[in-house]
Amino acid sequence: MNSSLSPSFTALNGESEAQSHGHMLQQACNVLRTESAGLQAMIAALESAGPDAADGLGPAFVAAVEHILSGHMRVVVTGIGKSGHIGRKIQATLASTGTPSIFVHPAEASHGDLGMLQKGDAVLAISNSGETAELADIISHTRRFGLLLIAMTSRMDSTLARTADIVLPLPRAPEACPIGLAPTTSSTMQLALGDALAIVLLQRRGFNANDFGVFHPGGRLGTQLRRVHELMHYGKRMPLGHPAMPLRQVIMEMTRKTFGCMGVVDESNRLIGLITDRDLRLALEQDLENTCAADIMNPAPQTIGPDVLAAEALRIMNDRPRPISSIFALDEEGHPVGIVHLHDLLRAGVA
């Protein structure tokens, strides 16, 4: 923080600096409390919908989910101003969690982008007041071509609500803005309800981490969804030996392969043990010629499958009284198919 700011920036109406800071923090907390109250009102509206309820947020939410799923519909999200910004985020969340979707700006729709709407689409129109003039052409288009229109609005008596097939009514809640004009609570509720819609659709589709990884191949999210088989070392890169291997040969194998360990396999190439640098240090006082791998190996080493998430492999390696630096990946029959080192995970950006 720049300490050279003049006192007028840190104190108001004769307040001390400490009083001013406390006042600012209290104002911030009041904003969060007001918006939180709006979310709680929305939760109450969803929870109060019993099985016999005919209207309200709960039944409308269920209807929206069922229509989108039953028709395998693409969701076209639209809105302008703050509702438009929220709409873009909702559309991005829908798309990344398995629900085909696009965002259409209402102004652009009136100048050719209505052609982006297709038969069978569901249009999610977001407007707190429900009287946004810029939505008129999209609304008319849905009525003309029989597209499902889902409205998200706080005004059930609005033009948008009266026209829509399904209305997701937002509870009336005060804005956190002290003059009651800047969209704050209302936009927070829109965003949260959009998230709820996307995640319920995700769960109903059975969308899983594998599917999520397909849509998020880049960035840190993509890295977290990489699998062990994408990072592990195969074939002759694996440090392996047999139970009767003399300790001197064990040391040579571990030195050549540089993983800090060696897997011990039986005649069927199944992993039956593991020797680490620590095991070697404890065995150095023994007869190097007559001590063999079976004498010092751990007969129950920690292993993983090649399709485990790299992030999960890192957790397994660290979530131990004594963390490990390398781990073998085994197939279903217990054969080692690869080995991954902590450094492989770090280079990939998993940690």
Side-chain angles (χ1 to χ4, degrees), residues 25-109:
L25 293 176
Q26 186 60 49
Q27 289 173 323
C29 290
N30 288 340
V31 171
L32 298 182
R33 289 191 186 96
T34 301
E35 295 192 355
S36 177
L39 294 179
Q40 290 299 322
M42 193 160 57
I43 292 171
L46 286 167
E47 291 181 335
S48 64
D52 299 325
D55 55 17
L57 180 57
F61 186 90
V62 171
V65 170
E66 290 181 340
H67 274 82
I68 294 170
L69 290 175
S70 64
H72 303 288
M73 294 176 170
R74 185 180 65 160
V75 178
V76 179
V77 184
T78 189
I80 201 164
K82 301 300 186 294
S83 294
H85 295 309
I86 295 297
R88 287 185 184 276
K89 195 282 178 182
I90 292 173
Q91 181 273 317
T93 302
L94 287 167
S96 70
T97 53
T99 299
S101 60
I102 61 171
F103 180 85
V104 174
H105 193 284
E108 299 296 338

Side-chain angles (χ1 to χ4, degrees), residues 151-275:
M152 186 184 295
T153 180
S154 63
R155 294 283 300 276
M156 289 297 290
D157 59 346
S158 65
T159 301
L160 176 60
R162 292 197 307 269
T163 308
D165 300 297
I166 300 173
V167 182
L168 299 174
L170 299 173
R172 300 300 292 271
E175 300 288 6
C177 168
I179 57 177
L181 297 178
T184 47
T185 306
S186 58
S187 57
T188 298
M189 290 194 296
Q190 290 171 350
L191 180 60
L193 188 58
D195 284 343
L197 180 64
I199 299 308
V200 171
L201 286 167
L202 172 153
Q203 293 173 320
R204 303 298 288 185
R205 292 181 192 277
F207 194 84
N208 57 36
N210 286 330
D211 302 315
F212 201 74
V214 171
F215 296 151
H216 298 79
R220 181 165 178 80
L221 208 53
T223 298
Q224 292 292 321
L225 293 169
R226 295 183 71 177
R227 304 282 167 172
V228 167
H229 67 77
E230 300 177 63
L231 303 174
M232 67 188 188
H233 303 266
Y234 301 85
K236 294 182 178 180
R237 284 287 297 135
M238 290 188 292
L240 296 173
H242 55 82
M245 179 181 284
L247 199 54
R248 286 186 182 276
Q249 292 184 24
V250 172
I251 295 172
M252 292 176 62
E253 176 72 1
M254 291 175 61
T255 302
R256 283 196 302 266
K257 302 298 176 64
T258 70
F259 286 97
C261 67
M262 187 191 84
V264 182
V265 295
D266 62 14
E267 62 277 3
S268 299
N269 199 39
R270 291 186 178 88
L271 189 75
I272 60 172
L274 183 76
I275 299 172

Side-chain angles (χ1 to χ4, degrees), residues 283-294:
L284 284 179
E285 295 182 359
Q286 300 183 35
D287 185 343
L288 297 186
E289 295 298 336
N290 296 318
T291 302
C292 62

